[in-house]
Amino acid sequence: MRAALERYESPLTHYAARMLNGDVERARDVVQDTFLKLWTADRASVDGHLGQWLYRVCRNRALDVCKKEMRMTALTETQLSMQADSRSEADRHDAAPTCASAFAAMQTLPQRQQEVIRLKFQGGLSYREIANVMDLTVTHVGVLIHTGLKAIREKMIASGTGPSRVPQSEVIQ
Amino acid sequence: MSALDPNDPRLTAYALGELDREEAAAIERQIAEDESLAAAVNEIRQTASLLSAEFAAEPALGLTDEQRRSLEQRPEPALNNPWIFRARTLWTGAGLAAAACLTIVLVLPMMFDRARSSTEIARSESQPIERGIAAEQHEFDRTADAKRDGSSTKLGVPLQEFGQTPTDSAIVGGALDGAMSAPPAENAAGQGAGGGLPPSSENPARDPFVGKLAAQPPAAAPSGGGLGGGAPIDQQARTRYQLESRSNDAPSPASAAPRPPGDRLTEELAKATVTRTGPARSHERYRRDLHFREDLDAERDKGELGVVKDNEFRQPLDEPLSTFSIDVDTASYSNVRQHLNSGQLPSPHIVRIEEMVNYFDYGYEAPSGEQPFSANVEVNAAPWNPEHRLVRIGLKGKEVKTDMRPATSLVFLLDVSGSMNQPNKLPLVKQSMKLLVDKLNADDRLAIVTYAGSAGLLQDSIYCNDENKQTIVQRIDGLQAGGSTNGAGGIQMAYEQASQHFIKGGVNRVILCTDGDFNVGISGDDELTRFIEDKRKTGVFLSVLGFGTGNFQEAKMEKLADHGNGMFAYIDQIEEGKKVLVDQMAGTLVTIAKDVKIQVEFNPAKVGAYRLIGYEDRMLAAEDFNDDRKDAGEIGAGHTVTALYEIVPPGVLVDAAAPPPVDDLKYQKRVVEEEAEAAVDKNEIVPSDELLTIKLRYKEPEGDQSKRLEFPVIDAGATWDKASPDLQFASAVASFGMILRNSPHKGTATLSSVLDLAEAGILPQNDKEGRRAEFRQLVEKARTLAGQ
């Protein structure tokens, strides 16, 4: 159990924070709740796919929180404007053409592509697991990751920092 | 397969290894023929590895320490207060939502909404609990009278080969078994009845001692509200509190007291308006090896931050299996003795009950035949809580006569750093070693390596014939502590000696003697542990003898010995040196079975809840039992290992001091929460008279495959007047340990009840060495020190 906490605490918090427009405090709450769930969960339902389980529970939690927040923003002006401020880079991806790293490039992608990429490369989940977490088909996940990686590569090349096209001769060996 | 172009998503899937073999092969063929495809795959992989690297380099972002603590002190659903469990489930979720709120106006509609939207959710999670309640209620009705009869006799169940049924052991109990043998047919049907138990008449005001402790946290807890508080504060109330009030840095112990129903909402709101702060945890912690982290956590729990929490009561419906590794270490008892003899009460964190209980030999029947050890079970009332039952599992290792023991190659690795230069350290090491050398035979070998002072090979491994013995004794006499630290590699040198002079079929062991200085030549706990483990696989085991007080890193010593398949003892006086190195030489040196694991399955029809006393840092996951790769404890020749389970019969409250339930909510119906993977399979209860089944696994000292033994236990309902002196004494030691630990489970145990129990357990024939008598003196000392 502790190992699970160690392994997934930080990735999940990052993930939840992304889902929650960068709100780390709330992300921590979500992650804490996720692990509380894990403590009381039926072992059989978790064993063998811990990562997938955690990400899924975490995601559902975060979405719950998002939904609530949306309701509240409808009620209070302050919150509304706060939320507008905290809108993540995801919604501003047109505005940031230069990308110092693959990571920065990723952050310019649409939310969903970012999410699959995070699940893949941070969470280490397989396509199928990602599909289960996000309620998508495996094919859809494949397309999202493919498109995402391609976009990242192109953005990096455009900004001159990315891996340039590898000479073909190197590839062959 | 259709032709690929470089922009085909399947190419990405292939590059990331997501395709099955067949698909991958098909794509490989195409790539081989098309350079542009190969280039695309290469690019994808490059980008992917960049991303992976950058994700890995993301700054660690984790829970606040407060949140972590609340998770680590994971609340266990307790049998008797389901309302707390339910409240937690519901309010945790509500708390999450409330965190997002700023005003009360928003809270209520939102909660309504939540209640409505999540009706379906996580039913699975609450089912076992509710079923537990229902079953409990049911059993309670049926057995309310029967359980008080507590009839019967001591039960000794002989070891049975797996598959055999007990013969002479199957003593059927009286009224108790009669009343309980029918399976509770309605137990599953009651699952919808989530009403919970009514406030019981057996649920009076809280134990006054709880309050007292809350006001006086154990001295050993350096971090105030942290793990150190592991004592008898109602853990659940406390954890829940932490959960709900994360904004407060350290909840004062007083606030762990039950709050009047209804003030939660206020608290939720108060919380929502407080800005939470929590230090981000250091990046470095995330980088450490995962396996080792677990060890470190266990270690931190143990020594540095406070007290390991006592094992809690668990319900067989939730957790039917209890799995642990045996532990023959006795260091904790010596350490406690050292404290008491020097006029201070030991702090709770050094008290490990299983090590105290296992310090003593018990007259368990020796194994007959091929088996390396026997198992002896006795069931009786728990002296500190007469409604509870106490199950003693006693293993006894095969005796190996000292003159029959196999040839031994020993390497002493001695800490001669300046700090060892105290009467109770190096001189004690020297004395103890000389006692041992005297007992070694001409075909035994011994070498001495020193480290941390004047490091080096003091004595090459030589046979211990009479002539050489003189040389060895001279070397020992010439040992001096202090001087500059020069040269590393002490431990490598020691193991070199051990492997160069390895005695095949014999005992090969490095014995590390230290007061806590581990400057042995390998820095880094991780590396050191691995080194020892690797050497263990070559047949050289490591034992650790601890000396002195102060910078006494017992957690680390114990861990090293565990990884080295050896034992860890703490030598506080020459008598202890004699006990460990001379009296129990065979046991200390000759391992007769390794990786000994115990798994107990409890029968839910007979057991409402159970608790393993001690062994907190020896707990294993249920699946580790059959996993031969999982390391566990060793048992030496003639050693006895004792484990005690406290069992709450069905229908008896686990903790009479639990707070009263809160009222049902008026505006919210109780709902359960959503879960990714719902659906718990319901288990049917198989009717059986057995209380529990004990399963053992062990390996021969040289073997890699474990053997399995199993034997069922029936509670014949013995009463205390039938308890064996050994059981009385073991429960005296366990009660003493619980008192010293301020355990929330110590029940009615007091130092004088410990004395009474000990008195009954001391007979001339079972205390030839006077160790039990010494225990009695220690309890007297504790009584004086505690002012009782």
Side-chain angles (χ1 to χ4, degrees), chain A residues 2 6 9-10 13-14 28-29 32-33 37 39 43 53 56-57 68 75 101-103 118 120-122 126-127 146 150 153 163 165 168 172, chain B residues 7 12 18 35 43 46 48 54 58-59 61-63 67-68 70-71 74 92 96 106 114 125 243 246 276 281 297 301 623 673 675 677:
Chain A
R2 281 214 175 88
E6 285 304 325
E9 177 185 353
S10 182
T13 313
H14 275 290
R28 287 195 174 115
D29 285 351
Q32 185 185 20
D33 264 27
K37 280 286 181 196
W39 294 170
R43 287 293 287 273
W53 191 97
R56 184 173 166 96
V57 173
K68 258 152 227 145
L75 289 168
S101 64
F103 194 78
R118 191 169 272 278
K120 176 73 206 157
F121 296 104
Q122 181 198 40
S126 69
Y127 279 16
H146 174 76
K150 191 163 183 280
R153 195 159 57 236
R165 263 189 172 269
Q168 306 260 318
I172 288 171
Chain B
N7 197 21
T12 304
E18 289 283 343
E35 286 180 5
E43 281 172 3
Q46 264 189 331
E54 286 174 30
E58 259 188 317
L61 185 62
L63 301 178
Q67 286 173 321
R68 270 186 75 85
S70 76
L71 283 174
R74 158 195 174 196
T92 305
L96 178 74
L106 296 171
R114 172 180 189 81
E125 169 177 316
L243 202 61
R246 274 161 249 156
R276 276 189 234 108
R281 296 171 57 243
D297 274 348
D301 288 356
E623 57 269 26
E673 293 171 326
E675 203 47 79
E677 315 264 335

Coordinates of all heavy atoms in Angstrom, one line a residue, chain A residues 2 6 9-10 13-14 28-29 32-33 37 39 43 53 56-57 68 75 101-103 118 120-122 126-127 146 150 153 163 165 168 172, chain B residues 7 12 18 35 43 46 48 54 58-59 61-63 67-68 70-71 74 92 96 106 114 125 243 246 276 281 297 301 623 673 675 677:
Chain A
R2 N 1.9 1.2 0.8 CA 2.8 2.4 0.9 C 3.5 2.5 -0.4 O 3.7 3.6 -0.9 CB 3.8 2.2 2.0 CG 3.3 2.5 3.3 CD 4.4 3.1 4.2 NE 3.8 3.5 5.4 CZ 3.7 2.7 6.5 NH1 4.2 1.5 6.4 NH2 3.2 3.1 7.6
E6 N 3.7 5.7 -2.8 CA 5.0 6.3 -3.2 C 5.0 6.4 -4.7 O 5.5 7.4 -5.3 CB 6.2 5.5 -2.7 CG 6.5 5.6 -1.3 CD 6.8 7.1 -0.9 OE1 7.4 7.8 -1.8 OE2 6.4 7.5 0.2
E9 N 1.7 8.8 -6.0 CA 1.3 10.0 -5.4 C 1.5 11.2 -6.2 O 0.6 12.0 -6.6 CB 2.0 10.1 -4.0 CG 1.7 11.4 -3.3 CD 2.5 11.5 -2.1 OE1 3.3 10.6 -1.7 OE2 2.5 12.6 -1.4
S10 N 2.8 11.3 -6.6 CA 3.1 12.5 -7.4 C 2.5 12.5 -8.8 O 1.9 13.5 -9.2 CB 4.7 12.6 -7.5 OG 5.0 13.8 -8.2
T13 N -1.1 13.4 -8.5 CA -1.4 14.8 -8.1 C -1.2 15.7 -9.3 O -2.0 16.6 -9.6 CB -0.5 15.2 -7.0 OG1 -0.5 14.2 -5.9 CG2 -0.9 16.5 -6.4
H14 N -0.2 15.4 -10.1 CA 0.0 16.2 -11.3 C -1.2 16.0 -12.2 O -1.7 17.0 -12.8 CB 1.3 15.7 -12.1 CG 2.5 16.4 -11.6 ND1 2.8 17.7 -11.8 CD2 3.6 15.9 -10.9 CE1 4.0 18.0 -11.3 NE2 4.4 16.9 -10.7
R28 N -4.7 17.6 -4.4 CA -4.3 16.8 -3.3 C -5.5 16.2 -2.6 O -5.4 15.0 -2.2 CB -3.6 17.7 -2.3 CG -2.2 18.1 -2.7 CD -1.4 18.6 -1.6 NE 0.0 18.9 -2.0 CZ 0.5 20.1 -2.0 NH1 -0.2 21.2 -1.7 NH2 1.8 20.3 -2.5
D29 N -6.5 16.9 -2.5 CA -7.7 16.3 -1.9 C -8.2 15.2 -2.7 O -8.6 14.1 -2.2 CB -8.9 17.4 -1.8 CG -8.6 18.4 -0.7 OD1 -7.7 18.2 0.1 OD2 -9.3 19.4 -0.6
Q32 N -5.9 12.3 -2.2 CA -6.1 11.7 -0.9 C -7.3 10.8 -0.9 O -7.3 9.7 -0.4 CB -6.2 12.8 0.2 CG -6.3 12.1 1.6 CD -6.5 13.2 2.7 OE1 -7.0 14.2 2.4 NE2 -6.2 12.8 3.9
D33 N -8.4 11.3 -1.5 CA -9.6 10.6 -1.5 C -9.4 9.3 -2.3 O -10.0 8.2 -2.0 CB -10.7 11.4 -2.2 CG -11.6 12.1 -1.2 OD1 -11.1 12.3 -0.1 OD2 -12.7 12.3 -1.5
K37 N -10.0 5.5 -1.0 CA -10.8 4.5 -1.7 C -10.0 3.2 -1.9 O -10.5 2.1 -1.7 CB -11.1 5.0 -3.1 CG -12.2 6.0 -3.2 CD -13.5 5.2 -3.0 CE -14.6 6.2 -3.1 NZ -15.8 5.5 -2.5
W39 N -7.6 2.1 0.0 CA -7.5 1.4 1.3 C -8.7 0.5 1.5 O -8.6 -0.6 2.1 CB -7.3 2.3 2.4 CG -6.1 3.2 2.5 CD1 -6.0 4.2 3.4 CD2 -4.9 3.2 1.8 NE1 -4.8 4.8 3.3 CE2 -4.1 4.2 2.3 CE3 -4.4 2.3 0.8 CZ2 -2.8 4.4 1.8 CZ3 -3.1 2.6 0.3 CH2 -2.4 3.6 0.8
R43 N -9.6 -5.9 -2.8 CA -8.3 -6.1 -3.4 C -8.4 -6.8 -4.8 O -7.7 -6.4 -5.7 CB -7.5 -7.0 -2.5 CG -7.0 -6.4 -1.2 CD -6.0 -5.3 -1.5 NE -4.7 -5.8 -1.9 CZ -3.7 -6.1 -1.1 NH1 -3.9 -5.9 0.2 NH2 -2.6 -6.6 -1.5
W53 N -6.6 1.5 -12.1 CA -7.7 1.7 -11.1 C -7.5 3.1 -10.4 O -8.5 3.9 -10.3 CB -7.5 0.6 -10.0 CG -8.7 0.6 -9.0 CD1 -9.7 -0.3 -9.1 CD2 -8.8 1.4 -7.8 NE1 -10.5 0.0 -8.0 CE2 -10.0 1.0 -7.2 CE3 -8.1 2.4 -7.2 CZ2 -10.5 1.5 -6.0 CZ3 -8.5 2.9 -6.1 CH2 -9.7 2.5 -5.5
R56 N -8.3 5.9 -12.8 CA -9.7 6.1 -13.1 C -10.5 6.7 -11.9 O -11.3 7.6 -12.1 CB -10.3 4.7 -13.4 CG -11.8 4.8 -13.8 CD -12.4 3.5 -14.3 NE -13.8 3.6 -14.3 CZ -14.5 4.0 -15.4 NH1 -13.9 4.2 -16.5 NH2 -15.8 4.1 -15.3
V57 N -10.2 6.2 -10.7 CA -10.9 6.7 -9.6 C -10.5 8.2 -9.4 O -11.4 9.1 -9.2 CB -10.5 6.0 -8.3 CG1 -11.1 6.6 -7.0 CG2 -11.0 4.5 -8.4
K68 N -18.9 20.3 -9.9 CA -19.4 21.1 -8.8 C -19.0 22.5 -9.0 O -19.7 23.5 -8.7 CB -18.9 20.6 -7.4 CG -20.0 19.8 -6.7 CD -19.4 18.8 -5.9 CE -20.1 17.5 -6.1 NZ -19.2 16.3 -5.9
L75 N -23.0 30.7 -9.9 CA -23.6 31.4 -8.8 C -22.9 32.6 -8.4 O -23.4 33.6 -7.9 CB -23.9 30.5 -7.6 CG -25.0 29.5 -7.8 CD1 -24.9 28.4 -6.7 CD2 -26.3 30.1 -7.9
S101 N 10.7 22.5 -24.8 CA 10.8 21.1 -24.6 C 9.6 20.3 -25.1 O 8.6 20.9 -25.4 CB 11.0 20.8 -23.1 OG 9.8 21.2 -22.5
A102 N 9.7 19.0 -25.1 CA 8.6 18.2 -25.5 C 7.5 18.4 -24.5 O 6.3 18.5 -24.9 CB 9.0 16.7 -25.5
F103 N 7.8 18.7 -23.3 CA 6.8 18.9 -22.3 C 6.0 20.1 -22.6 O 4.8 20.2 -22.5 CB 7.5 19.0 -20.9 CG 6.6 18.9 -19.8 CD1 6.1 17.6 -19.4 CD2 6.2 20.0 -19.1 CE1 5.2 17.5 -18.3 CE2 5.3 19.9 -18.0 CZ 4.8 18.7 -17.6
R118 N -0.2 12.0 -21.0 CA 0.2 11.9 -19.6 C 0.0 10.5 -19.0 O 0.8 9.9 -18.3 CB -0.6 12.9 -18.7 CG -0.1 13.1 -17.3 CD -0.8 14.3 -16.7 NE -0.1 15.6 -16.9 CZ 1.0 16.0 -16.2 NH1 1.5 15.2 -15.3 NH2 1.5 17.2 -16.5
K120 N -0.1 7.9 -20.6 CA 0.8 6.9 -21.3 C 2.2 7.1 -20.8 O 2.9 6.1 -20.3 CB 0.8 7.2 -22.8 CG 1.8 6.4 -23.6 CD 1.3 4.9 -23.7 CE 2.5 4.0 -23.9 NZ 2.2 2.6 -23.4
F121 N 2.7 8.3 -20.7 CA 4.2 8.5 -20.5 C 4.5 8.8 -19.0 O 5.6 8.6 -18.6 CB 4.8 9.5 -21.4 CG 4.7 9.1 -22.8 CD1 3.8 9.7 -23.7 CD2 5.5 8.2 -23.3 CE1 3.7 9.3 -25.0 CE2 5.5 7.8 -24.6 CZ 4.5 8.3 -25.5
Q122 N 3.5 9.2 -18.3 CA 3.7 9.5 -16.9 C 3.2 8.3 -16.1 O 3.8 7.7 -15.2 CB 3.0 10.7 -16.4 CG 3.3 11.0 -14.9 CD 2.3 12.0 -14.4 OE1 1.1 12.0 -14.7 NE2 2.8 12.9 -13.6
S126 N -1.1 1.2 -20.5 CA -1.2 0.7 -21.9 C -2.4 1.4 -22.5 O -3.2 2.0 -21.9 CB -1.3 -0.8 -21.9 OG -2.6 -1.1 -21.4
Y127 N -2.4 1.3 -23.9 CA -3.6 1.8 -24.6 C -4.9 1.3 -24.0 O -5.8 2.1 -23.8 CB -3.5 1.4 -26.1 CG -2.6 2.2 -27.0 CD1 -1.6 3.0 -26.4 CD2 -2.7 2.2 -28.3 CE1 -0.8 3.8 -27.2 CE2 -1.9 2.9 -29.2 CZ -0.9 3.7 -28.6 OH -0.1 4.4 -29.4
H146 N -1.1 9.2 -31.2 CA -0.4 9.4 -32.4 C -0.4 10.8 -32.8 O 0.7 11.4 -33.1 CB -1.0 8.5 -33.5 CG -0.5 8.7 -34.9 ND1 0.8 8.2 -35.2 CD2 -0.9 9.4 -35.9 CE1 1.0 8.6 -36.5 NE2 0.0 9.3 -36.9
K150 N 2.8 13.5 -32.8 CA 3.2 14.1 -34.1 C 3.2 15.6 -33.9 O 4.1 16.3 -34.3 CB 2.1 13.7 -35.1 CG 2.5 14.0 -36.5 CD 1.6 13.2 -37.5 CE 2.0 13.5 -38.9 NZ 1.4 14.7 -39.5
R153 N 6.2 16.8 -31.9 CA 7.4 16.7 -32.7 C 7.4 17.9 -33.6 O 8.4 18.6 -33.8 CB 7.4 15.4 -33.5 CG 8.7 15.0 -34.2 CD 8.7 13.6 -34.5 NE 7.6 13.2 -35.4 CZ 6.7 12.2 -35.1 NH1 6.7 11.6 -34.0 NH2 5.8 12.0 -36.0
P163 N 14.0 17.3 -32.0 CA 14.9 16.4 -32.7 C 14.6 16.7 -34.2 O 13.5 16.7 -34.6 CB 14.3 15.1 -32.3 CG 12.9 15.3 -31.8 CD 12.9 16.7 -31.4
R165 N 14.9 15.9 -38.1 CA 14.7 14.6 -38.8 C 16.0 13.8 -38.8 O 17.0 14.3 -39.1 CB 14.2 14.8 -40.2 CG 12.7 14.7 -40.2 CD 12.2 14.7 -41.7 NE 10.8 14.4 -41.7 CZ 10.3 13.1 -41.8 NH1 11.1 12.1 -41.9 NH2 9.0 12.9 -41.7
Q168 N 18.4 9.4 -42.7 CA 17.9 8.0 -43.0 C 18.9 6.9 -42.8 O 18.6 5.9 -42.4 CB 17.4 8.0 -44.4 CG 16.4 9.1 -44.8 CD 15.0 8.6 -44.8 OE1 14.7 7.5 -45.3 NE2 14.1 9.4 -44.3
I172 N 18.6 3.2 -40.6 CA 18.6 1.8 -41.2 C 19.4 0.8 -40.3 O 19.0 -0.3 -40.2 CB 19.1 1.9 -42.6 CG1 18.0 2.6 -43.4 CG2 19.4 0.5 -43.2 CD1 18.4 2.9 -44.8
Chain B
N7 N 2.0 8.2 -41.5 CA 1.1 8.9 -40.5 C 0.1 8.0 -40.0 O -1.0 8.4 -39.6 CB 0.5 10.1 -41.3 CG -0.1 11.1 -40.3 OD1 0.3 11.1 -39.1 ND2 -1.1 11.8 -40.7
T12 N 2.6 4.4 -34.5 CA 2.8 4.9 -33.1 C 2.6 3.7 -32.1 O 3.4 3.5 -31.2 CB 1.9 6.0 -32.8 OG1 2.1 7.0 -33.7 CG2 2.2 6.6 -31.4
E18 N 2.7 -1.4 -28.2 CA 1.3 -1.6 -27.8 C 0.6 -2.7 -28.6 O -0.5 -3.1 -28.4 CB 0.5 -0.3 -28.0 CG 0.8 0.7 -27.0 CD 0.2 0.4 -25.6 OE1 -0.7 -0.4 -25.5 OE2 0.6 1.0 -24.6
E35 N 11.9 2.8 -45.8 CA 12.8 3.7 -44.9 C 12.0 4.8 -44.3 O 12.2 5.2 -43.1 CB 13.9 4.3 -45.7 CG 15.0 3.3 -46.1 CD 16.1 4.0 -46.8 OE1 16.0 5.2 -47.0 OE2 17.0 3.2 -47.3
E43 N 11.4 8.5 -35.0 CA 11.0 9.8 -34.5 C 10.0 9.7 -33.3 O 10.1 10.4 -32.3 CB 10.3 10.7 -35.6 CG 11.3 11.3 -36.5 CD 10.7 11.9 -37.7 OE1 9.4 11.9 -37.8 OE2 11.4 12.4 -38.6
Q46 N 11.8 8.7 -30.3 CA 12.6 9.8 -29.7 C 11.6 10.7 -28.9 O 12.0 11.1 -27.8 CB 13.2 10.6 -30.9 CG 14.6 10.2 -31.2 CD 15.3 11.2 -32.1 OE1 14.6 11.8 -33.0 NE2 16.6 11.3 -32.0
A48 N 8.8 10.1 -27.7 CA 8.3 9.4 -26.6 C 9.3 9.4 -25.4 O 9.0 9.6 -24.3 CB 7.9 7.9 -26.9
E54 N 10.9 13.8 -19.5 CA 10.5 15.1 -18.9 C 9.3 14.9 -17.9 O 9.3 15.6 -16.9 CB 10.0 16.0 -20.0 CG 11.3 16.6 -20.8 CD 10.9 17.4 -22.0 OE1 9.9 18.0 -22.0 OE2 11.8 17.4 -22.9
E58 N 9.4 15.9 -13.8 CA 8.5 16.8 -13.2 C 8.7 16.9 -11.7 O 9.0 15.9 -11.1 CB 7.0 16.3 -13.4 CG 6.3 17.0 -14.6 CD 4.8 16.5 -14.6 OE1 4.5 15.3 -14.4 OE2 4.0 17.4 -14.8
P59 N 8.7 18.1 -11.2 CA 8.9 18.2 -9.7 C 7.9 17.4 -9.0 O 6.7 17.3 -9.4 CB 8.7 19.7 -9.4 CG 8.0 20.3 -10.6 CD 8.3 19.4 -11.8
L61 N 5.2 16.3 -6.7 CA 4.0 17.0 -6.2 C 3.2 16.0 -5.5 O 2.7 15.0 -6.1 CB 3.3 17.6 -7.5 CG 2.1 18.5 -7.2 CD1 2.5 19.7 -6.5 CD2 1.4 18.8 -8.5
G62 N 3.0 16.2 -4.2 CA 2.3 15.2 -3.5 C 1.4 15.7 -2.5 O 1.2 16.9 -2.4
L63 N 1.0 14.8 -1.7 CA 0.1 15.2 -0.6 C 0.8 16.0 0.4 O 2.1 15.9 0.5 CB -0.5 13.9 0.0 CG -1.3 13.0 -0.9 CD1 -1.7 11.8 -0.2 CD2 -2.5 13.7 -1.5
Q67 N -1.9 15.0 5.1 CA -2.7 14.0 4.4 C -2.1 12.7 4.3 O -2.7 11.7 4.5 CB -2.9 14.6 2.9 CG -3.8 15.8 2.8 CD -3.8 16.4 1.4 OE1 -2.8 16.5 0.8 NE2 -5.0 16.7 1.0
R68 N -0.8 12.7 4.2 CA -0.1 11.4 4.1 C -0.3 10.7 5.4 O -0.5 9.5 5.5 CB 1.4 11.6 3.9 CG 1.8 11.6 2.5 CD 3.3 11.7 2.4 NE 3.9 10.4 2.7 CZ 4.1 9.5 1.8 NH1 3.7 9.7 0.6 NH2 4.6 8.4 2.1
S70 N -2.6 10.9 7.5 CA -4.0 10.4 7.7 C -4.2 9.1 6.8 O -4.9 8.2 7.2 CB -5.0 11.4 7.3 OG -5.1 11.6 6.0
L71 N -3.5 9.1 5.7 CA -3.6 7.8 4.9 C -2.8 6.7 5.5 O -3.2 5.6 5.5 CB -3.0 8.1 3.5 CG -4.0 8.9 2.6 CD1 -3.3 9.2 1.3 CD2 -5.2 8.1 2.3
R74 N -4.1 4.5 8.2 CA -5.3 4.1 7.5 C -6.3 3.6 8.5 O -6.1 2.7 9.2 CB -4.9 3.0 6.5 CG -6.0 2.2 6.1 CD -5.3 1.0 5.4 NE -6.4 0.1 5.1 CZ -6.1 -1.2 4.8 NH1 -4.9 -1.6 4.9 NH2 -7.1 -2.0 4.5
T92 N -16.2 12.1 3.8 CA -14.9 12.3 3.1 C -15.3 12.9 1.7 O -14.8 13.9 1.3 CB -14.2 11.0 2.8 OG1 -14.0 10.4 4.1 CG2 -12.9 11.3 2.1
L96 N -14.6 16.8 0.4 CA -14.0 17.2 -0.9 C -14.8 18.3 -1.6 O -14.2 19.3 -2.0 CB -13.9 15.9 -1.7 CG -13.3 16.1 -3.1 CD1 -11.8 16.3 -3.0 CD2 -13.7 15.0 -4.0
L106 N -24.0 27.6 -0.5 CA -23.7 26.7 -1.6 C -23.6 25.3 -1.1 O -23.8 24.4 -1.9 CB -22.3 27.1 -2.2 CG -22.3 28.5 -2.8 CD1 -20.9 28.9 -3.1 CD2 -23.2 28.5 -4.0
R114 N -25.2 15.9 -4.8 CA -24.3 14.8 -4.7 C -25.1 13.6 -4.3 O -24.9 12.5 -4.9 CB -23.3 15.1 -3.6 CG -22.4 14.0 -3.4 CD -21.4 14.3 -2.3 NE -20.5 13.1 -2.3 CZ -19.6 13.0 -3.2 NH1 -19.3 13.9 -4.0 NH2 -18.9 11.9 -3.1
E125 N -18.3 -1.2 -1.8 CA -17.4 -0.9 -0.7 C -18.1 -1.1 0.7 O -17.5 -1.5 1.7 CB -16.9 0.5 -0.9 CG -16.2 1.0 0.3 CD -15.7 2.4 -0.1 OE1 -15.2 2.6 -1.2 OE2 -15.9 3.3 0.8
L243 N -8.5 14.0 8.6 CA -9.0 14.1 7.3 C -9.8 15.3 7.1 O -9.8 16.0 6.1 CB -9.9 12.8 7.1 CG -10.1 12.4 5.7 CD1 -8.8 12.0 5.1 CD2 -11.0 11.2 5.7
R246 N -7.7 19.1 7.6 CA -6.3 19.2 7.1 C -5.6 20.5 7.3 O -4.5 20.7 7.2 CB -6.3 18.8 5.6 CG -6.3 17.4 5.3 CD -6.7 17.1 4.0 NE -8.0 16.5 4.0 CZ -8.9 16.5 3.0 NH1 -8.6 17.2 1.9 NH2 -10.0 15.9 3.1
R276 N -5.3 26.1 2.8 CA -4.5 25.0 3.3 C -3.1 25.2 2.8 O -2.8 25.6 1.7 CB -5.0 23.7 2.7 CG -6.1 23.2 3.5 CD -6.5 21.8 3.1 NE -7.9 21.8 2.8 CZ -8.4 21.8 1.6 NH1 -7.6 21.7 0.6 NH2 -9.7 21.8 1.5
R281 N 6.6 17.7 -0.5 CA 7.6 16.8 0.0 C 8.8 16.8 -1.0 O 8.7 17.1 -2.1 CB 7.0 15.4 0.0 CG 5.9 15.4 1.1 CD 5.1 14.1 1.0 NE 6.0 13.0 1.2 CZ 6.2 12.0 0.3 NH1 5.6 12.1 -0.8 NH2 7.0 11.1 0.6
D297 N 10.1 3.2 5.3 CA 8.9 3.6 6.0 C 8.8 2.8 7.3 O 8.5 3.4 8.3 CB 7.7 3.4 5.1 CG 7.5 4.6 4.2 OD1 8.2 5.6 4.4 OD2 6.7 4.5 3.3
D301 N 8.8 4.5 10.9 CA 7.7 4.2 11.8 C 8.2 3.7 13.1 O 7.7 4.1 14.2 CB 6.7 3.2 11.3 CG 5.9 3.7 10.1 OD1 6.1 4.9 9.8 OD2 5.2 2.9 9.5
E623 N -1.0 -12.7 -0.3 CA -0.5 -13.4 -1.4 C 1.0 -13.7 -1.3 O 1.6 -14.5 -2.0 CB -0.7 -12.7 -2.8 CG -0.2 -11.2 -2.8 CD -1.2 -10.2 -2.3 OE1 -2.1 -10.6 -1.6 OE2 -1.1 -9.1 -2.7
E673 N -20.7 5.5 -2.6 CA -20.1 6.3 -3.6 C -19.6 5.5 -4.8 O -19.3 4.3 -4.7 CB -18.9 7.1 -3.0 CG -19.4 8.1 -2.0 CD -18.3 8.7 -1.2 OE1 -17.4 8.0 -0.9 OE2 -18.4 9.9 -0.9
E675 N -17.4 3.8 -7.7 CA -16.2 3.1 -7.7 C -15.9 2.7 -9.1 O -16.8 2.4 -9.9 CB -16.3 1.9 -6.8 CG -14.9 1.5 -6.3 CD -14.1 2.7 -5.8 OE1 -14.4 3.2 -4.7 OE2 -13.3 3.2 -6.6
E677 N -14.3 0.0 -10.2 CA -14.5 -1.4 -10.4 C -15.4 -1.8 -9.2 O -15.0 -2.1 -8.1 CB -13.2 -2.2 -10.3 CG -12.1 -1.6 -11.1 CD -12.0 -2.2 -12.5 OE1 -12.4 -3.4 -12.6 OE2 -11.5 -1.6 -13.4

